[in-house]
Amino acid sequence: MGSERRELMRALGARLRGLRAEAGLTGAVLAERAGVGQPTVSKVENGRMVPSADVLDRLSNALGLDESTAHEVRDLLAAVMAAPETAKTSGEVPAGTTLDDAVRSARLVRSFQCVVLPAMLQSAEYARHVFGSAPYATPEAVGRAVAARIERQSLLYEPGRESVFVLTEGVLRTWPGSPALMLAQFDRLLAVESLSTVRLGVIPWRRSVPVMPRHGFTLCDSHAVVVETFLGERVVDDSAEVTAYEETFRRFEGAAIFGADVRELLLGVMKDFRDLETSTTR
C-alpha cells in the first residue's frame, strides 16, 4: 500500500477518533448506535480499514455531526479512495514532518501564532489552504501534509499531555477560502477549547501586545522550539534561545483572555463571518 494512502487512512481514523472523544462515546457505544461491529470502529479509527461510504455515513449520524464536519470526513474518505495504492519511489517527505515529530514526542506543547491558526487546531480544509499556499506545493505533497497534520491532532485527547495555544485576534480574522470554511473552523475551536487537556487563549484587539510579534512558534516541552516558514520548519534547540522563547510565550500568555471570555470572543467573530457569508450569497 502506498504511503500516501496509509497516511490518509490514519488521518481519517484519527479525526473520527477525536470526534468520538468529543462526543464522550466509547467505541462500543458508537458501534451500537451506528449499527456496525465494534472491530470495524476500531480498525477504522486505527487506520487499518477503509470504511465504505455507507459505514462512514452511519458513523457520522451516530456521532451527530453537523453538515460541515460530516462534509470534512467525507472529503477525507474521498482522498483515501483517490490515493494510489502502490508506494511511490520518489522519497518525498511531506511538509510538516519536522513539526509533527517534535510535537509527538512532547508532553507539553505551547504555541503562539500571530498570522495562521496553530497547526494542532486546523481543520482539514484550513490546513489544505495553508500547505497549498507554500511555494512549489503539489497536490500530492499537500494531501500528505494535510493527512499528517490531522493525524497528529489526536494527541490533543491523550491523557498526560497538555497543550496551550495563544493567538492574536488577527489570526481569527485572517481567513482563506470562504466564510463557510471559517465557520466550520470556529466550531472546531470551540470544541477543542472545552477539552481539559487544552488551554486556548486569544489576545484581543482591545489589548496591546507585550512584545511585537515577528512570527509564530511552537515550544515542545523545554527542549526545542519549531518555527514554521514558507519553505519548511526550522528547529531551535539551543538552550538559551529556547529559554528566551519560553519567556516570550509567557508574556503573550499573560496578555491573553481564556475560558468564558475567549468563548464569547469566538462567538462574536463567528457572527461576523455569518454576516459576511450572508452578504456574499445575496
Side-chain angles (χ1 to χ4, degrees), residues 45-230:
E45 289 188 349
N46 287 288
R48 293 186 287 112
M49 174 182 171
V50 180
S52 66
D54 176 65
V55 167
L56 186 65
D57 285 343
R58 287 169 176 256
L59 294 173
S60 297
N61 290 334
L63 289 167
L65 302 186
D66 58 35
E67 184 178 349
S68 62
T69 308
H71 182 72
E72 178 189 345
V73 296
R74 284 197 297 270
D75 282 349
L76 283 171
L77 177 59
V80 172
M81 301 304 293
E85 296 197 38
T86 55
K88 291 188 174 184
T89 58
S90 64
E92 290 181 62
V93 178
T97 299
T98 300
L99 184 55
D100 286 349
D101 292 342
V103 169
R104 281 195 182 97
S105 63
R107 308 306 295 179
L108 171 62
V109 173
R110 291 164 291 174
S111 183
F112 167 76
Q113 299 298 332
C114 53
V115 178
V116 179
L117 281 167
M120 294 284 282
L121 305 182
Q122 294 171 8
S123 68
E125 283 307 304
Y126 187 103
R128 194 177 304 281
H129 281 274
V130 171
F131 287 115
S133 66
Y136 315 116
T138 65
E140 294 77 13
V142 169
R144 290 194 296 274
V146 171
R149 180 145 292 180
I150 299 304
E151 189 274 334
R152 181 182 62 202
Q153 292 173 356
S154 63
L155 300 176
L156 290 173
Y157 307 96
E158 290 188 8
R161 292 183 183 271
E162 181 182 358
S163 301
V164 185
F165 304 101
V166 175
L167 44 145
T168 62
E169 185 174 340
V171 173
L172 302 176
R173 297 182 182 275
T174 302
W175 55 283
S178 68
L181 182 155
M182 287 304 294
L183 288 170
Q185 176 66 73
F186 275 93
D187 285 338
R188 171 156 176 75
L189 292 177
L190 287 166
V192 170
E193 192 277 332
S194 67
L195 297 174
S196 61
T197 53
V198 173
R199 292 186 71 230
L200 173 61
V202 176
I203 303 174
W205 280 358
R206 66 177 181 268
R207 293 187 181 181
S208 63
V209 290
V211 181
M212 282 302 293
R214 292 174 172 83
H215 56 76
F217 58 89
T218 300
L219 284 155
C220 300
D221 292 322
S222 295
H223 308 310
V225 59
V226 183
V227 178
E228 291 185 88
T229 70
F230 275 107

